[in-house]
Amino acid sequence: MHIIPTTVLTATFFAGSAFAGLLPTPIDRRATCDTTKLNTTAGTYNITEGDTIFSVATATGRGVCDIARYNRLAVASLIYPGEQLAIPPQVCDPDNDTCLLVNTMPTRDCILGGPHVYTTVGNETIEYIALYKLNITVDALFNGSSRMLPDGANASTILEVGQALKVPQCYPSVCEVEPYTMQLEVYKDMAAKFGTTVGQIMGFNPSYNHSAGGGPTLTIPMNCRLLGDNYTIIS
Ligand SMILES: *[C@@H]1O[C@H](CO)[C@@H](O)[C@H](O)[C@H]1NC(C)=O
Ligand SMILES: *[C@@H]1O[C@H](CO)[C@@H](O)[C@H](O)[C@H]1NC(C)=O
Ligand SMILES: *[C@@H]1O[C@H](CO)[C@@H](O)[C@H](O)[C@H]1NC(C)=O
Ligand SMILES: *[C@@H]1O[C@H](CO)[C@@H](O)[C@H](O)[C@H]1NC(C)=O
Ligand SMILES: *[C@@H]1O[C@H](CO)[C@@H](O)[C@H](O)[C@H]1NC(C)=O
Ligand SMILES: *[C@@H]1O[C@H](CO)[C@@H](O)[C@H](O)[C@H]1NC(C)=O
Ligand SMILES: *[C@@H]1O[C@H](CO)[C@@H](O)[C@H](O)[C@H]1NC(C)=O
Ligand SMILES: *[C@@H]1O[C@H](CO)[C@@H](O)[C@H](O)[C@H]1NC(C)=O
Ligand SMILES: *[C@@H]1O[C@H](CO)[C@@H](O)[C@H](O)[C@H]1NC(C)=O
């Protein structure tokens, strides 16, 4: 592998301009990757206390999201001690971020379609579930669930695993709920593909964690939408 001078990297941005003929051809990141040095052997990794998907990726030299999708993890950051993960062959351009949940910047106070209940998994707050998983405002989820929460809990309190939350629904709205065989993907991919949210998929499949061996058949809310211009919130 050779060092690429910064000036050359900058120059590639102008590859399409009038200077293009004077400049080296754009650099393909893979061109600097020596494929003979890749570890193309698949393996396994036993998760122990303290492991995170990030530490597993570092330890094995694989991309976070390459591991997540290879194991059909529901949520990339959600792994459990005792689980055995499959480790995919190494690739030239590891993907460490496209599978990670991001703040969806919600504007709505209710989900489209169902389900009406979300059950917490590890290390979750109302704020995280609302912004990252259900795409509804923090206030809306907090209000809907406040009577079910322990005394003194606020939107940033880390909730016990298994805490049921009431999810406010927009009325009238609907999803088509259908069986679907999961591919090498995570819930975030499915949410984007089917017009729903990670939290709603979790709500319909409360016991699913991961599957390296084969695609499980899950219950997926699809094409979730409002059924009119105006709606009210049912909580
Ligand atoms: C290649 O990757 C597999 C799976 O992670 C691992 O078990 C094996 O030790 C690695 N081999 C080398 C030479 O690093
Ligand atoms: C990993 O876990 C499996 C059972 O899930 C066990 O059979 C195997 O021995 C474990 N491997 C290591 C290296 O601990
Ligand atoms: C992605 O993760 C792998 C393995 O942890 C690492 O080798 C690689 O440098 C990371 N890539 C980026 C762009 O962060
Ligand atoms: C979140 O909801 C808004 C509507 O409030 C929508 O425009 C946006 O596409 C949704 N984002 C995701 C990632 O679901
Ligand atoms: C819980 O989540 C926070 C922020 O996402 C993270 O810093 C922390 O390490 C997590 N704790 C556990 C036990 O997973
Ligand atoms: C939540 O409840 C507070 C206090 O009852 C109210 O002011 C606010 O409008 C509610 N917000 C939503 C989004 O339901
Ligand atoms: C929210 O609750 C946590 C305890 O769960 C507490 O540490 C924190 O100070 C509270 N935040 C606010 C703004 O009240
Ligand atoms: C998912 O993992 C958690 C924690 O180990 C466990 O309680 C739950 O039963 C698992 N679900 C399945 C379907 O394996
Ligand atoms: C929707 O709400 C707007 C503004 O409140 C109102 O003018 C309109 O008549 C409503 N449409 C229906 C179908 O109720």
Side-chain angles (χ1 to χ4, degrees):
M1 199 181 299
H2 51 271
I3 309 294
I4 303 155
T6 331
T7 48
V8 175
L9 281 174
T10 310
T12 62
F13 285 109
F14 301 99
S17 74
F19 301 106
L22 304 171
L23 296 167
T25 45
I27 290 155
D28 181 345
R29 211 145 71 78
R30 282 163 301 179
T32 64
C33 166
D34 183 350
T35 53
T36 64
K37 295 228 168 71
L38 292 176
N39 179 347
T40 52
T41 310
T44 59
Y45 185 99
N46 289 1
I47 304 300
T48 57
E49 203 69 45
D51 276 334
T52 64
I53 190 73
F54 305 99
S55 67
V56 175
T58 305
T60 59
R62 268 55 166 192
V64 166
C65 297
D66 301 322
I67 298 173
R69 294 192 173 105
Y70 200 62
N71 289 277
R72 301 182 180 82
L73 293 183
V75 173
S77 60
L78 203 58
I79 57 173
Y80 299 96
E83 260 182 333
Q84 187 177 65
L85 293 185
I87 302 301
Q90 216 167 27
V91 293
C92 283
D93 46 355
D95 177 349
N96 295 324
D97 51 40
T98 64
C99 65
L100 301 180
L101 299 186
V102 296
N103 185 338
T104 56
M105 307 288 185
T107 54
R108 251 190 229 108
D109 291 330
C110 45
I111 61 162
L112 306 180
H116 211 30
V117 174
Y118 178 91
T119 305
T120 56
V121 292
N123 200 21
E124 288 190 305
T125 64
I126 293 277
E127 185 180 4
Y128 178 69
I129 297 164
L131 302 181
Y132 287 72
K133 291 186 170 169
L134 288 170
N135 194 13
I136 59 175
T137 64
V138 176
D139 265 3
L141 184 61
F142 189 78
N143 281 7
S145 302
S146 57
R147 274 166 300 155
M148 308 164 86
L149 299 176
D151 283 350
N154 58 49
S156 333
T157 302
I158 294 178
L159 303 170
E160 293 282 339
V161 172
Q163 165 81 58
L165 302 177
K166 206 167 179 186
V167 180
Q169 283 175 286
C170 302
Y171 174 84
S173 70
V174 72
C175 310
E176 278 113 39
V177 179
E178 292 183 22
Y180 168 75
T181 303
M182 194 176 183
Q183 311 295 305
L184 289 175
E185 60 195 339
V186 292
Y187 281 4
K188 185 186 176 190
D189 301 327
M190 290 153 64
K193 190 158 70 177
F194 292 124
T196 186
T197 64
V198 168
Q200 285 167 273
I201 299 176
M202 291 179 75
F204 274 108
N205 303 277
S207 64
Y208 177 74
N209 282 335
H210 81 284
S211 170
T217 298
L218 301 177
T219 302
I220 306 301
M222 300 181 183
N223 190 18
C224 301
R225 60 200 184 273
L226 288 171
L227 292 177
D229 294 336
N230 299 340
Y231 61 88
T232 56
I233 301 171
I234 317 175
S235 60

